[in-house]
Amino acid sequence: MWTPSRQEEGVAVTNIESILERHAYEAHRLVQILRETQDALGWLAPETLTCIAHRLQIPRVQVESTANFYSFFHIRPLGEYRILFSDNITDRMLGNQALMQALCEKLWLEPGRVAEDGLVSVDTTSCTGMCDQGPALLANYRAITRLTPARIDEMAHLIRRRVPVGDWPPEWFHVEDNIRRRDVLLDHGLAPGEALAAALDRGPTGLLGEIERSALRGRGGAGFGSDIKWRSCRDAWGDAHYVICNADEGEPGTFKDRVLLSSDFDMVVDGMCIAGFAIGASKGFIYLRGEYRYLLDRLETRLAQRREAGLLGRDILGRGFTFDIEIHLGAGAYICGEESALIESLEGKPGKPRIRPPFPVTHGYLGQPTTVNNVETLALAALIAVRGGEWFRAIGTPASTGTKLLSVSGDVARPGIYEFPFGVSVAEVLEAAGATDTQAVTTAGAAGSCLAVSEFGRRIAFEDVPTGGSIMVFDQSRDMFEAARNFAHFFAHESCGFCTPCRVGTAVNARLMDKLALDRSSPYDLDEMERMHHLMQGASHCGLGNTATIALRDILAKFRPAFDRRLHSPDYEPGFDLDAALSQARRMTGRDDAGAHLTDNRSAHAGGHPSEAKP
Amino acid sequence: MTSSFLLDGEEVPFTPGQTVMQAASAAGKYIPHLCWHPDFAAHGSCKLCTVKIGGGFATACTTRAAAGQDVENGTEELTAKRRTLLQLLFVEGNHFCPSCEKSGSCVLQASAYEVGMLSPHFDHFYPDRAVDASHPDVLLDFNRCIMCELCVRASREVDGKNVFALSGRGAKSHLIVNSESGRLADTDFAATDRAAEVCPVGVILRKRVGFAVPIGQRDYDARPISQRVVEKLADGEQEAG
Ligand SMILES: Cc1cc2nc3c(=O)[nH]c(=O)nc-3n(C[C@H](O)[C@H](O)[C@H](O)COP(=O)(O)O)c2cc1C
Ligand code: SF4
Ligand code: SF4
């Protein structure tokens, strides 16, 4: 393993010092400080954490707690190269598992383990938002798309020859926008700042009036009325107000915010400025998910250009309005998309949802009134500032006005972004994307419902099929059990661990699904998942736990044969194989006669459930 | 002016600003809980105090009492949910009550008895959690940690030390202490700290006093927790320990 020399240690301390200085020794910037420190030093060693705690004058446990919460931070050395395969169900359908296996074999590695020489580790990560161009992976946290066996081959060579990731073939890092259908948003035709100027003309009250008339509802999933959110934030008392653009986009199967940031960033920035103008804020944050790290430099550059052009910063457009934006990068935690967890993360803490009330609109970032909005919501607000609320309201359906960006992936001929007015049927979307022989469609990533063929006539709208924009398509060849199992593992991995039902319940579900996958289950196990669904829905602290079992239960109800096929017996089955458990003892004792084997597993636990013992 | 709400059909008075839990406790009513403690701000993580208000679920420790509220607490539906939550906590850690020093004065165990939990039901996770015996006066047995963060809060708010924190995410959540070595001996923790006494389960254990009170004669051995908690609150005693 790599150990630093004295000289290198000196360099390390200088590195940390300059990073801390850049962040003004502010403890609430801890997530950014840790990320940059890790970038510079390779990993977050115990003495690094101590040093940071000391310099920020905060308890060391606080630093360790944050460092150990996020998937992309490591407090143990993980090799010079860290390869993380995106493991969403769409990546699986595109063959990521075989590719990962191949890379591991070429590098003589086991997934999840660091190579003996400390060179490389290979593991999986949750959906990286590249479903339209998967299978994808992150190499030292930089996204690589469209993996093929040939690319994997070459990657193994590059790693063995210690070629820095920055020198790998540039085309590997190419991320497409894949916009397939444009409507009013993607076809806006507005110049940067045009929407902002229109908003300044209307004044805060006029602007809020247009947003209200538009009946715009948040595109982050919950569909909360944007005018109500902005008004309550504006009315809340505070020393400062903040606007946060939620670009955490962690829901499996969604990538529309990535495309908006990449191809329509000015619209998003205009939207943030407008929100700031409406609520009386002068500062905004973009919380960009760690997986979209590759966008950071481009977005920073664009923000700087806008400052130069008078479209951001002091005295915007020469009209006395001051508003600036800072980008914070996440570090691999789906829960940070939940708005109060996002704010905790922005404050340098582990991303665990807060107790509500109070809500962020009154007590958000640093305890001040804060509005958190999705990327798409902000872009739409900009459009509304120009075209007016009435115009917007005429599009879509009565309870779901405007258009919706859909990220379509899976078994379709043309995966990518489709902008449709709300009210479009699932079948129309499938038709547009070139889906054939479709068996099922998930409409809200891992966290929402799963539709069977008979439901494809249903409409995408809050009043029928709500969606954050993740449309994953499964044709008849797919095993829906595997989709459900992938989701169960996703939630077990992404639960923040704060509350009992979700922390333990998601782990129980993942175990039950694995037991089914090993053909060791009985209907009893299916009932257990039903029971977990009833507990977690309602008892969980936040939306993650409250929605984590919806898709699982939907798939279980609608695609039951995929589960029944795997049932081993009609009675309770233990999750382990007693005879197999004895194999080690057999090897140690050198015995392999009939008496050293259990022929009937069931005899070993006569009397029912093996764990029926008094607490 | 006092107002009141209904708890399982009985009127409970409250003063504005009180939570459902605070008002219920003051009135001598027991709502099961693990992470709540009268001396600390509500945490709302164990979810044992989940009640039903107006048809929806809410945690009694974080919900403000309001006039006319109709709160369900002791229904079979809620007791069953609590039983499942407790089972989850039992299988998540390693709990061997018969050999545990905390047996009889453990809030987790007593709560399990209270809701009629007879078995852990789920397959055990058997986590691998090493014991920390480095401190001269206190033993940390992480096997029984339920992530209630009472020690975290007590150390921060009362002792002014920040000895503890939760680290990790999801099922990998675990308690850590404030030292580079990760050992309690290398912190400024003292056996007299409030944090040493607030643990509702058998994680933070004082050395050499283990079985001073024999099992069978301990706090919750004689009476169920519902009765004990109410008595203690009425006497202004400290709850855990
Ligand atoms: C587990 C979880 C993850 C979430 N992830 C996101 C996300 O990635 N992006 C997002 O905009 N909203 C996400 N949300 C919803 C946000 O909490 C919040 O409602 C949203 O950002 C509000 O923006 P809007 O009003 O513009 O929709 C998530 C919610 C939960 C419970
Ligand atoms: S529901 Fe899950 S993600 Fe949400 S607070 Fe509880 S443990 Fe964390
Ligand atoms: S901590 Fe409580 S529940 Fe756990 S083993 Fe000890 S007595 Fe039993």
Side-chain angles (χ1 to χ4, degrees), chain A residues 138-220:
Chain A
L138 302 174
N140 290 353
Y141 310 104
R142 295 186 53 186
I144 296 181
T145 57
R146 298 176 305 269
L147 294 171
T148 58
R151 279 189 178 186
I152 291 292
D153 251 6
E154 200 180 336
M155 195 178 296
H157 283 299
L158 292 169
I159 290 173
R160 262 194 257 117
R161 292 195 350 250
R162 299 195 171 220
V163 176
V165 173
D167 295 338
W168 290 8
E171 67 273 15
W172 291 9
F173 301 95
H174 188 70
V175 178
E176 302 269 358
D177 283 345
N178 285 334
I179 296 174
R180 312 285 187 180
R181 186 182 194 279
R182 293 171 188 271
D183 210 299
V184 291
L185 176 58
L186 296 177
D187 245 350
H188 59 78
L190 299 174
E194 196 176 334
L196 176 50
L200 293 175
D201 287 344
R202 291 187 195 271
T205 320
L207 175 64
L208 282 166
E210 289 309 321
I211 300 292
E212 183 180 349
R213 268 187 288 284
S214 74
L216 174 65
R217 296 173 69 168
R219 301 309 203 235

Side-chain angles (χ1 to χ4, degrees), chain A residues 46-48 50-51 59-62 64-66 68-71 75 126 331-335 350 352 355-357 492-501 503-505 507-508 511 515 524 528 531-532 534-541 572-576 609-615, chain B residues 34 42-48 50 57-59 62 64 80-92 95-98 109 112-113 117-126 145-147 149 161-174 176-182:
Chain A
E47 55 279 13
T48 307
T50 306
C51 169
R60 189 187 183 283
V61 267
Q62 205 175 310
E64 183 175 348
S65 173
T66 295
N68 202 20
F69 182 84
Y70 298 89
S71 292
I75 60 171
S126 300
Y334 167 70
I335 187 59
K352 297 190 187 186
I355 292 174
R356 276 152 305 179
H493 186 258
E494 298 297 342
S495 164
C496 84
F498 174 78
C499 69
T500 312
R503 182 183 68 244
V504 198
V508 165
R511 282 158 182 258
K515 190 179 168 189
Y524 177 94
E528 289 286 84
R531 185 160 161 220
M532 218 37 72
H534 284 294
L535 175 73
M536 287 171 62
Q537 267 214 321
S540 295
H541 182 66
Y572 173 77
E573 273 297 317
F576 52 87
H609 197 289
S611 51
E612 298 275 330
K614 286 229 169 200
Chain B
L34 289 168
H43 198 238
S45 67
C46 76
K47 302 294 167 190
L48 213 61
T50 300
F57 296 103
T59 40
T62 61
R64 285 278 162 90
K81 277 200 197 301
R82 291 172 186 149
R83 215 179 287 135
T84 309
L85 286 169
L86 286 160
Q87 287 167 327
L88 292 176
L89 286 169
F90 268 88
V91 301
E92 184 193 29
H95 295 271
F96 306 105
C97 295
Q109 182 193 48
Y113 281 127
M117 179 189 134
L118 297 175
S119 81
H121 183 84
F122 300 101
D123 288 345
H124 283 271
F125 289 14
Y126 295 122
C145 183
I146 54 169
M147 323 290 161
E149 293 201 32
K161 288 187 181 175
N162 283 297
V163 174
F164 301 101
L166 280 191
S167 184
R169 189 171 83 199
K172 290 191 188 139
S173 300
H174 62 282
I176 55 167
V177 303
N178 197 26
S179 66
E180 193 174 297
S181 65

Side-chain angles (χ1 to χ4, degrees), chain B residues 11-31:
Chain B
E11 210 152 305
V12 172
F14 71 91
T15 46
Q18 270 187 322
T19 60
V20 169
M21 179 69 95
Q22 286 169 328
S25 302
K29 308 259 185 258
Y30 170 70
I31 299 175

